[in-house]
Amino acid sequence: QLAPVSLALANSYFNIAVVLSGSDQFEESLQLVRKSLTMVQKPQIGLQRDHPGALRFELFAGDLLLKIGKVEEALATADSLMTKSGDSKWAHLLRGRCYQAQHQYGLSLSIYDKCLSIDGDFTDAAVQKTSCLAAREAKAKEIDRKIDQLINGNSEEEPDSRWTSLIQAREYEASEQDQTALEIYEKVLDTFPNFVEGKVKLEMCEEKFRCKMNEVECR
């Protein structure tokens, strides 16, 4: 048996949270969404973990976490939603956005493709995919600019071993020796697994190499 008053109050908190989010008051909005979640998860309310109302609150909380930069918490929320809602396109989308925020563009793109395989008319996924491709391209150009500066001596810093490896790998790429470049990227990431720039260059080189092997156009 549901408790209508409590459920209505939870919905009211949620509606206020949506308004606050619209005015970029994300922290305040998140507090109210969490209050709504706490209310609907009480035994006397009677909502199951996979009830659409509870899932809607949790999905919105994940979106807010991402907006305030708590990417790991947002990703944990997305994973939680996946266990409750199955093949939810919205949970997939949240996961994709989290990985995009971590500059894991290839993984994000594969997730957006998954969203579109679930719903070919999923506009949010199509828009996010376009955004991800643009973000990856912008990041790659930023990395190449820094490499150029280091090579030309226009940088205020000396290249460390990470960037020396990227310079070397890019030279191999330029001479069509992609496999050698990939080996260098993988080696530097073995030593520095959180080196974002290395991850991006590896990912793009891998994709370019696959496209060449399969004789298809890269995205």
Side-chain angles (χ1 to χ4, degrees):
Q1 184 69 29
L2 295 177
V5 174
S6 297
L7 185 56
L9 185 56
N11 280 317
S12 295
Y13 282 136
F14 178 75
N15 291 334
I16 296 170
V18 172
V19 173
L20 290 173
S21 174
S23 57
D24 295 340
Q25 298 181 63
F26 303 129
E27 294 276 6
E28 295 83 353
S29 178
L30 181 59
Q31 290 177 12
L32 286 177
V33 175
R34 282 176 165 164
K35 186 175 288 189
S36 296
L37 274 168
T38 299
M39 293 183 72
V40 299
Q41 288 168 353
K42 289 180 179 179
Q44 62 266 32
I45 300 294
L47 294 188
Q48 298 295 317
R49 291 170 69 245
D50 60 353
H51 186 281
L55 294 177
R56 181 167 58 113
F57 295 166
E58 192 168 359
L59 181 65
F60 195 71
D63 179 71
L64 291 168
L65 286 165
L66 188 56
K67 285 177 177 175
I68 62 177
K70 296 184 177 181
V71 182
E72 291 295 337
E73 287 186 50
L75 186 56
T77 299
D79 291 340
S80 170
L81 283 164
M82 293 297 297
T83 65
K84 299 171 188 175
S85 60
D87 222 19
S88 164
K89 63 181 184 181
W90 290 105
H92 279 298
L93 184 67
L94 179 59
R95 288 182 72 240
R97 291 172 58 217
C98 289
Y99 287 122
Q100 184 175 336
Q102 295 177 331
H103 305 291
Q104 298 189 55
Y105 300 112
L107 182 53
S108 297
L109 289 168
S110 66
I111 292 173
Y112 299 143
D113 284 338
K114 172 69 174 178
C115 291
L116 291 166
S117 72
I118 297 171
D119 179 0
D121 296 322
F122 191 13
T123 303
D124 293 71
V127 169
Q128 201 65 47
K129 180 179 178 179
T130 301
S131 167
C132 186
L133 287 167
R136 184 176 70 168
E137 185 65 25
K139 186 65 176 177
K141 287 181 179 178
E142 175 191 314
I143 296 167
D144 282 332
R145 280 195 300 271
K146 179 162 182 178
I147 289 175
D148 290 338
Q149 289 172 348
L150 291 168
I151 291 173
N152 298 328
N154 296 329
S155 175
E156 295 180 358
E157 58 186 279
E158 290 293 321
D160 58 21
S161 61
R162 301 173 306 162
W163 285 95
T164 300
S165 295
L166 293 198
I167 292 169
Q168 184 183 23
R170 194 179 73 167
E171 289 173 352
Y172 279 111
E173 281 195 74
S175 59
E176 302 293 321
Q177 299 182 61
D178 294 331
Q179 281 185 297
T180 303
L182 286 171
E183 290 171 5
I184 294 171
Y185 290 135
E186 288 169 351
K187 185 175 180 180
V188 74
L189 286 170
D190 282 342
T191 308
F192 304 100
N194 296 320
F195 183 31
V196 169
E197 289 80 1
K199 290 180 181 179
V200 173
K201 294 296 287 184
L202 171 64
E203 177 185 302
M204 297 194 76
C205 187
E206 283 178 333
E207 183 171 314
K208 182 177 66 173
F209 184 68
R210 283 196 303 270
C211 292
K212 284 181 181 178
M213 292 297 98
N214 297 322
E215 297 184 342
V216 296
E217 185 179 349
C218 289
R219 54 189 169 189

